[in-house]
Amino acid sequence: MANKILVTGGAGYIGSHTAVELINSGYEITIVDDLSNSKESAIAGIEKITGQKVEFVKLDLRDYDALKELFANNKFDAIIHFAASKAVGESMQIPLHYYRNNIQCLLNLLELMDEYNVPNMAFSSSCTVYGQPDQLPVTEQTPFKPAESTYGNTKKINEDILRDAARSNEKYQLIALRYFNPVGAHETAEIGELPLGVPNNLIPFVTQTAAGIREQLSIFGDDYGTPDGTAVRDYIHVVDLAKAHVIAVDRLLGKKNKANYEFFNLGTGKGSSVLEVVNTFERVNDLKLNYKIVDRRAGDVEQTYADTTLANEELGWKAELGLDEMMKSAWAWQQKLN
């Protein structure tokens, strides 16, 4: 009988792509999502790609009683926890919402994992836990600096909670995956990034500007200490990222983890500037973007990119898709939405 995985936030961007890879790897999944930052159409997309019906439960993880009922009625072998509020800019405007949502959800899950003997969790963390690092590339041993955003701080606090939980109870088997900047979409264009309202992330704003939905793309700052003055990030294709989550679950269920709390950087190991991304998008899709340089945005770090040696060696995982594929698939997804 197939192992059953609970995917929280599974109708979201990374969650939906991971759901596809889990099903393709033979896992049975249950998706839980409150649809506050996603749409149920993602479930249909997953089903279309995989040819399988997906169990979906609309549920807010902050609702402890509803979540407990879910655990009582199912036997999960592992959890992949994506569900969180995730926009850096927005987190600076409504910080209390981010603390309440991102921390309470994890606490509820950990308590019920203990009660219902579900030891395994792969947690969706972020490179924002490192703040603005003193040295690049960022390794897993890079010290955490004060978070530049409320969102980053919630991820840092989440990791502190996971570390303390693992230290206090050997039953927990936990892996935190610190990802850099996921972009792109599934090659079928059946699922992709679907921000509700005005996008906070670069790529959906790029694609919506190209599609005429947004009048202009704002590039926040050209006076950073980077080659072209714009901020540098390690962009990773969402499908590469999704595959890493399957490997993490395989590792936990196969008891191959070397400690009951592990953490890995997931990126390509290469930084790309905002202007480089924009120029690549224009080149591979043969179009021009209307963009303007504006002031820096609160909460943004200057540059960050990953050292992925540990994930490459321990997980046997490596990012395979480049910036060209990321920009092509993102535009194909946007065109399907139009």
Side-chain angles (χ1 to χ4, degrees):
M1 194 169 159
N3 285 305
K4 190 170 187 178
I5 314 300
L6 174 63
V7 185
T8 76
Y13 177 40
I14 306 167
S16 59
H17 287 82
T18 301
V20 166
E21 299 304 325
L22 285 166
I23 293 167
N24 287 344
S25 298
Y27 285 109
E28 184 184 339
I29 67 168
T30 297
I31 288 176
V32 166
D33 204 299
D34 68 356
L35 302 180
S36 62
N37 196 34
S38 56
K39 288 187 177 174
E40 201 168 339
S41 57
I43 306 297
I46 296 164
E47 292 177 340
K48 191 162 182 188
I49 293 167
T50 61
Q52 291 195 31
K53 188 93 179 88
V54 173
E55 184 179 357
F56 169 63
V57 180
K58 187 179 178 188
L59 191 152
D60 186 334
L61 295 183
R62 291 172 298 181
D63 184 340
Y64 187 85
D65 292 338
L67 188 58
K68 180 168 178 148
E69 188 179 336
L70 182 77
F71 272 80
N73 292 332
N74 291 274
K75 177 66 186 91
F76 298 117
D77 297 291
I79 296 168
I80 304 182
H81 180 37
F82 293 107
S85 301
K86 64 181 180 65
V88 167
E90 182 187 64
S91 78
M92 306 296 282
Q93 296 160 353
I94 49 170
L96 298 185
H97 170 78
Y98 271 69
Y99 284 120
R100 186 179 296 110
N101 195 41
N102 293 7
I103 294 167
Q104 191 62 53
C105 291
L106 179 63
L107 292 174
N108 286 352
L109 281 169
L110 286 168
E111 287 178 11
L112 291 166
M113 285 167 66
D114 186 39
E115 183 176 345
Y116 287 92
N117 197 28
V118 184
N120 306 302
M121 175 190 278
F123 174 71
S124 164
S125 191
S126 163
C127 66
T128 55
V129 297
Y130 296 112
Q132 177 59 67
D134 291 328
Q135 288 184 301
L136 293 169
V138 176
T139 75
E140 284 79 2
Q141 303 314 314
T142 296
F144 286 6
K145 301 283 285 294
E148 299 279 334
S149 68
T150 304
Y151 166 74
N153 205 35
T154 66
K155 290 298 185 183
K156 180 177 174 294
I157 292 167
N158 282 156
E159 285 212 32
D160 289 341
I161 291 167
L162 293 172
R163 185 178 289 106
D164 288 347
R167 191 183 290 140
S168 71
N169 185 344
E170 287 186 355
K171 189 196 294 184
Y172 290 119
Q173 302 296 314
L174 311 169
I175 293 178
L177 299 174
R178 297 171 181 163
Y179 16 102
F180 283 66
N181 289 66
V183 297
H186 196 268
E187 62 183 3
T188 60
E190 292 294 340
I191 52 174
E193 191 166 7
L194 191 62
L196 303 183
V198 179
N200 278 280
N201 295 339
L202 174 63
I203 302 309
F205 218 111
V206 165
T207 60
Q208 288 188 12
T209 304
I213 298 165
R214 307 288 158 199
E215 190 179 330
Q216 183 173 268
L217 169 70
S218 294
I219 294 178
F220 297 104
D222 65 348
D223 56 350
Y224 287 110
T226 60
D228 62 20
T230 63
V232 166
R233 299 286 181 271
D234 186 340
Y235 295 95
I236 174 171
H237 199 295
V238 66
V239 173
D240 279 332
L241 190 56
K243 289 176 178 174
H245 289 78
V246 179
I247 292 169
V249 167
D250 290 345
R251 182 178 178 87
L252 289 168
L253 294 178
K255 299 186 169 35
K256 303 231 177 84
N257 48 319
K258 294 183 177 171
N260 72 328
Y261 176 59
E262 295 183 310
F263 40 91
F264 299 95
N265 286 341
L266 298 180
T268 62
K270 176 185 180 298
S272 301
S273 73
V274 175
L275 272 178
E276 190 181 343
V277 169
V278 167
N279 292 338
T280 302
F281 182 86
E282 290 183 330
R283 175 176 55 80
V284 300
N285 297 309
D286 193 23
L287 46 78
K288 280 286 175 203
L289 280 172
N290 180 28
Y291 65 86
K292 181 184 178 185
I293 309 291
V294 299
D295 291 341
R296 295 185 186 190
R297 180 174 61 175
D300 281 343
V301 299
E302 176 174 288
Q303 57 181 321
T304 185
Y305 53 93
D307 181 326
T308 60
T309 306
L310 189 66
N312 300 159
E313 293 178 354
E314 274 296 318
L315 300 179
W317 169 90
K318 196 172 191 329
E320 294 174 353
L321 299 166
L323 204 55
D324 282 20
E325 288 95 342
M326 298 178 211
M327 296 303 105
K328 276 183 191 166
S329 61
W331 180 230
W333 162 245
Q334 181 66 59
Q335 289 177 296
K336 179 151 188 171
L337 289 177
N338 286 355

